[in-house]
Amino acid sequence: FVMTNPPFYSTLKEANTPRAGDKRCRTGMSANEGVYTPVGDDMDNNEDCNTESEGGDVGFVTDIMNDSQYFRNHVTWYTSLIAKRSSL
């Protein structure tokens, strides 16, 4: 059984942009906690690059799905929180 709470943001800029509704800060998390960039992507340049792999919720869950093929004989159930509606 694997349960995850992925980093929601794909760039540091996205994580630091105030929320649209009330303009409050999105998070008090560090970049390591709140931002997910796939292995091989450069976090500092990720804002402007067009890579094939996504970050944030989608990238994290996609990587978990890919990893599940490797661990299919060891783990049978995966679940993850998806925080952003746009990730669905």
Side-chain angles (χ1 to χ4, degrees):
F1 176 75
V2 174
M3 181 176 10
T4 63
N5 184 6
F8 305 129
Y9 307 107
S10 56
T11 65
L12 193 55
K13 180 180 179 181
E14 181 184 10
N16 290 327
T17 301
R19 297 187 310 191
D22 56 13
K23 304 296 183 205
R24 290 187 300 159
C25 293
R26 288 187 183 268
T27 181
M29 294 183 276
S30 70
N32 289 339
E33 295 171 316
V35 177
Y36 179 76
T37 53
V39 175
D41 285 355
D42 184 356
M43 182 185 272
D44 294 331
N45 296 325
N46 195 30
E47 295 173 19
D48 299 320
C49 71
N50 294 321
T51 61
E52 292 181 18
S53 54
E54 292 187 62
D57 286 355
V58 173
F60 185 87
V61 172
T62 299
D63 284 351
I64 290 289
M65 290 169 57
N66 292 332
D67 289 348
S68 73
Q69 294 301 308
Y70 179 77
F71 294 108
R72 68 178 167 252
N73 295 323
H74 304 283
V75 180
T76 56
W77 190 270
Y78 290 84
T79 183
S80 183
L81 171 72
I82 299 293
K84 293 168 42 181
R85 185 180 298 230
S86 62
S87 296
L88 300 174

